[in-house]
């Protein structure tokens, strides 16, 4: 929606748009800051990051005004659907404030963040050092074939993705849909938060926002709920729950058929 310019927490996921922040990619493996993430350590190259908002900083931590506005709402609907002791994998963790908020409420869960933007990655890592149930973040290229097999982690009770798929190519949504079954437990779910179109019932602000995104990058745009639902259905995941959120956003849950 129009308000998404004020409610998008994360940087625009340059990795998912094939516009990487400082990094090197080798055989689909992602590296940041000369640090080993998955495999050998390499030197880095730098490409400017893009963001929908200015973010304050304190040390390595970034602070998003939009995350401050939507983190309570997200926590309020997501937390009750996470079972006790849930293992949660997040795609596009941004500043890490959503993880921090939910993990403060649910000390029983374990949160596995991922973030491709190097500055945001450091912000998530700083929060992970302070919050015991947030593990060290990873850099993951969801457009890399078999990316989910590189995680070397147990299967998850939930995969969480907030404010990502409208600012990345449609192929990112397709990849998440294809891979989710491989990393989810049988009773697990995928959770999305963000703006969605709803055919003829789409609100004007979301249509206008989608047009502005397409002007910025033709591969971006607010996704039709029907298209997202169909893509997940093709991969054995059905729409389980939809909840309207503030500023014309929605929360979606997908589960195994």
């Amino acid at each position: 929606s129009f308000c998404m310019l004020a409610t998008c927490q994360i940087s625009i996921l340059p990795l998912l748009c094939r516009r990487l922040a400082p990094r090197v990619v080798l055989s689909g493996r992602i590296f940041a800051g000369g640090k080993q993430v998955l495999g050998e350590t390499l030197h880095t190259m730098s490409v400017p990051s893009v963001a929908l908002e200015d973010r304050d900083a304190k040390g390595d931590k970034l602070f998003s005004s939009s995350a401050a506005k939507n983190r309570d709402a997200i926590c309020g609907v997501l937390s009750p659907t996470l079972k006790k002791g849930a293992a949660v994998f997040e795609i596009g963790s941004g500043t890490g404030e959503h993880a921090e908020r939910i993990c403060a409420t649910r000390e029983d869960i374990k949160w596995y963040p991922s973030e491709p933007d190097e500055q945001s990655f450091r912000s998530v890592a700083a929060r992970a050092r302070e919050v015991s149930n947030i593990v060290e973040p990873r850099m993951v290229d969801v457009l890399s074939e078999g990316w989910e097999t590189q995680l070397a982690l147990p299967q998850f009770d939930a995969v969480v993705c907030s404010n990502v798929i409208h600012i990345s190519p449609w192929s990112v949504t397709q990849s998440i849909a294809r891979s989710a079954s491989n990393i989810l437990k049988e009773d697990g779910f995928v959770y999305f938060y963000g703006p969605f179109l709803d055919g003829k019932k789409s609100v004007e602000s979301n249509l206008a926002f989608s047009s502005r995104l397409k002007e910025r990058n033709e591969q971006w745009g607010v996704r039709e709920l029907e298209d997202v639902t169909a893509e997940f259905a093709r991969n054995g995941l059905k729409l389980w729950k939809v909840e309207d959120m503030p500023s014309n956003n929605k929360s979606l849950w997908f589960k195994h058929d």
Side-chain angles (χ1 to χ4, degrees):
S1 70
F2 175 78
C3 295
M4 280 300 299
L5 287 173
T7 58
C8 183
Q9 173 221 357
I10 60 172
S11 61
I12 301 187
L13 290 178
L15 169 62
L16 300 182
C17 303
R18 294 303 192 189
R19 298 172 63 184
L20 290 161
R23 87 286 186 236
V24 163
V25 180
L26 176 65
S27 301
R29 294 190 174 96
I30 311 305
F31 305 84
K35 177 180 179 181
Q36 180 176 338
V37 179
L38 292 172
E40 302 87 351
T41 301
L42 300 177
H43 297 294
T44 62
M45 59 185 178
S46 182
V47 177
S49 179
V50 182
L52 284 181
E53 65 176 3
D54 293 328
R55 297 174 296 181
D56 295 329
K58 184 177 180 181
D60 283 339
K61 285 186 183 178
L62 296 176
F63 295 86
S64 162
S65 59
S66 57
K69 295 175 183 177
N70 62 36
R71 62 192 176 194
D72 288 345
I74 292 174
C75 181
V77 299
L78 177 57
S79 178
T81 63
L82 294 171
K83 70 181 186 180
K84 185 174 177 60
V88 182
F89 181 71
E90 184 179 24
I91 297 172
S93 297
T95 62
E97 290 171 273
H98 288 153
E100 182 179 51
R101 173 66 179 86
I102 296 170
C103 286
T105 299
R106 293 289 306 274
E107 295 182 356
D108 60 297
I109 69 174
K110 183 162 285 190
W111 196 277
Y112 296 79
S114 69
E115 171 55 47
D117 175 72
E118 187 174 14
Q119 187 180 30
S120 298
F121 184 93
R122 291 197 299 269
S123 178
V124 181
R127 287 182 161 88
R129 290 192 293 269
E130 296 180 356
V131 182
S132 62
N133 52 335
I134 302 178
V135 305
E136 184 178 355
R138 298 189 176 214
M139 286 195 172
V140 177
D141 179 4
V142 300
L143 293 179
S144 173
E145 184 70 26
W147 65 268
E148 71 279 11
T149 65
Q150 300 174 21
L151 296 176
L153 295 171
Q155 285 192 306
F156 298 100
D157 298 289
V159 173
V160 172
C161 187
S162 299
N163 284 335
V164 169
I165 64 174
H166 61 291
I167 50 174
S168 59
W170 175 244
S171 55
V172 167
T173 304
Q174 293 175 312
S175 176
I176 295 171
R178 283 194 305 269
S179 303
S181 292
N182 295 329
I183 60 177
L184 276 179
K185 295 179 182 177
E186 187 59 35
D187 61 346
F189 62 79
V190 177
Y191 169 84
F192 283 107
Y193 167 85
F196 293 89
L197 300 181
D198 195 10
K200 294 181 178 180
K201 296 185 290 183
S202 299
V203 296
E204 186 59 36
S205 59
N206 277 349
L207 291 167
F209 181 55
S210 186
S211 294
R212 290 195 301 276
L213 288 176
K214 289 179 182 295
E215 289 174 1
R216 193 165 182 171
N217 187 315
E218 63 182 10
Q219 296 189 75
W220 298 352
V222 180
R223 306 304 178 188
E224 285 280 357
L225 177 59
E226 182 178 357
D227 293 342
V228 176
T229 300
E231 188 63 38
F232 274 81
R234 279 191 286 271
N235 289 276
L237 293 161
K238 65 180 179 180
L239 185 62
W240 170 49
K241 185 178 179 181
V242 180
E243 188 152 341
D244 290 332
M245 303 291 284
S247 303
N248 294 320
N249 293 295
K250 292 183 183 296
S251 285
L252 313 179
W253 289 259
F254 292 90
K255 299 188 76 170
H256 288 284
D257 286 337

